[in-house]
Amino acid sequence: MAGFEILDPTVEPRLQPLTYVARPESLKGRRIGLVENTKFNSDRLLRKIGDILVHEYGAAEARMWRKRNSSVPAHDEIIDEAKRGVDVVVAGIGD
Amino acid sequence: MTTSLTSTRHAVTDLAQAMELCFEKGWTDGLPVVPPTEAAVRDMLEAAELAPGEELAFITNRQVAVTAEKVAINAVMAGCRPAFMPVVVAAIEGIGDPRWAYHGPGTSTAGAAVLMIVNGPIARELDFNCGDNLFGPGWRANATVGRAVRLVMRNVIGSRPGTLDRGTLGHPGKLSYVIAENELDSPWTPLHVERGFRAEQSTVTVMAAEAPHQFYNQLSSTAAGLLTTCCDDMRISGNVVGQSQYALVLAGEHMRTISAEGWSKADVRSFVFEHTQNTVAHLKRTERLAGPVEAGDERARRPLVASPADILVVAAGGRAGAFSAYIPGWGSRKASEAVTTLIKDRRA
């Protein structure tokens, strides 16, 4: 059998530009957003983290949003409200 | 649209080297594949009347466009006949649908496979098995169509075990998990007609699913009797508190017993919905729900599925044997729901 060619079945994902906001040097007076993914205990874990950030690190406040389910990105309302109302976001998984 | 194939080409000296190269590159599911030559890939595209660059799905989380060319290459590798390509295409459109929500079932530790249920005339034309050994090997259409979809998930979308497919256990349906409904023997409305298509149309329904659970009832001669057995088995199965969808696959003897009493699929759904509910107290005692048992928990009931419509009843399996199966879906219906897509005959 003579040589032949086969076609590559794979693809590379499209590249997306991704830029990070600079991390704040201090959390003093910062508003904290917590994104809860609906998994069991993830709300408790994040609430605890929020309390620590407020009481031990001087953050101004911590508020929480709940995703529609654990397998989807945060929905637009969360993103829009977070953009307007918080300085730092903590997202976590609860299992 | 251009008809040129844009995939990278790899030169090989012979068939054996081609097959080994596919293993070395990590392109297979662990079994040998058919080397995808340009001629074979073009036959696949031609059978579905698709241009190579046509986008069949876009997986947002991965930013991956699934093109006809890549699907055709993987379908060749899976061993599909060109005539199967429209079925593979419809299944890919299904898992690319936002309602199926690829990211969850494609990635999750819960290890779902893609259950595919083929309905309509194409199931018979292409010899999809709907009878004996329904979930077993032996039928090229069932084995290769599901395999093609899984190879697309692996090679195109990047769902590889241990990296972006984090199934803790997975199950053998991840190799291929394709059945057809036995519409010729069934007394009931076919699944695709219940889901809004015409009987003469052909469809594939994709559902993110655990493995099939077989249940026995060789005793009862009534619909309620054998479904009571089914429900007792099913009540504590899958992600009990998640309220996923379920497929209920009723094989020959059970199908005849149930239908002899005039029960429709809707009657089956209602019965199963009512008889698979757990008390909140039981779910707490068995550590499925958190917290101590409280007043009212013994009477408070939690349905296994959110509504009777979340039970997909399918007539399929061998004519002999008092066995059927239920298949828990993945996670919850809110996170992923079964999607039925039309198998298009683009040549018409």
Side-chain angles (χ1 to χ4, degrees), chain A residues 19-80:
Chain A
T19 51
Y20 291 98
V21 176
R23 293 170 72 92
E25 290 186 5
S26 160
L27 291 178
K28 276 206 168 48
R30 302 282 184 177
R31 300 161 301 172
I32 309 294
L34 307 167
V35 181
E36 192 257 303
N37 71 359
T38 76
K39 290 217 171 190
F40 183 64
N41 276 338
S42 71
D43 54 345
R44 294 175 64 190
L45 176 69
L46 285 170
R47 195 168 293 119
K48 183 79 178 167
I49 291 170
D51 287 346
I52 291 171
L53 297 182
V54 169
H55 295 118
E56 297 181 25
Y57 291 82
E61 61 177 17
R63 59 175 297 195
M64 188 183 295
W65 290 280
R66 186 175 170 84
K67 291 203 311 181
R68 296 207 166 104
N69 69 66
S70 60
S71 299
V72 294
H75 46 277
D76 289 344
E77 290 86 343
I78 296 178
I79 302 293
D80 291 343

Side-chain angles (χ1 to χ4, degrees), chain B residues 68-264:
Chain B
E69 176 175 339
K70 293 297 179 184
V71 173
I73 293 171
N74 283 281
V76 170
M77 291 169 66
C80 288
R81 286 170 50 206
F84 301 165
M85 180 67 176
V87 187
V88 177
V89 168
I92 295 295
E93 289 171 338
I95 64 172
D97 189 295
R99 292 169 295 171
W100 202 80
Y102 186 94
H103 180 65
T107 312
S108 167
T109 45
V114 185
L115 172 66
M116 299 171 224
I117 306 162
V118 183
N119 276 98
I122 206 167
R124 297 177 288 279
E125 289 163 17
L126 299 180
D127 193 28
F128 279 89
N129 183 26
C130 64
D132 289 339
N133 258 293
L134 183 68
F135 295 103
W139 275 261
R140 183 175 178 180
N142 302 58
T144 62
V145 166
R147 188 183 190 206
V149 171
R150 178 56 56 176
L151 287 176
V152 169
M153 294 170 72
R154 177 186 181 90
N155 291 328
V156 185
I157 308 175
S159 300
R160 293 180 179 227
T163 56
L164 290 174
D165 174 356
R166 298 306 302 259
T168 306
L169 297 169
H171 66 82
K174 281 190 162 186
L175 281 168
S176 185
Y177 203 6
V178 180
I179 63 172
E181 184 158 25
N182 184 356
E183 295 175 26
L184 294 183
D185 292 335
S186 168
W188 295 316
T189 306
L191 179 70
H192 68 312
V193 176
E194 287 193 307
R195 294 173 69 83
F197 293 87
R198 298 193 305 275
E200 67 272 20
Q201 292 179 308
S202 294
T203 65
V204 61
T205 300
V206 292
M207 181 178 126
E210 294 184 7
H213 298 235
Q214 181 170 300
F215 68 90
Y216 297 64
N217 187 312
Q218 299 172 315
L219 178 67
S220 178
S221 58
T222 69
L226 64 87
L227 286 174
T228 296
T229 303
C230 168
C231 291
D232 189 49
D233 218 50
M234 193 172 164
R235 188 178 302 117
I236 296 292
S237 65
N239 182 11
V240 179
V241 294
Q243 296 187 316
S244 69
Q245 294 180 307
Y246 274 72
L248 179 56
V249 179
L250 297 170
E253 284 192 30
H254 286 171
M255 176 182 79
R256 291 192 294 276
T257 301
I258 294 168
S259 63
E261 291 182 44
W263 286 39
S264 65

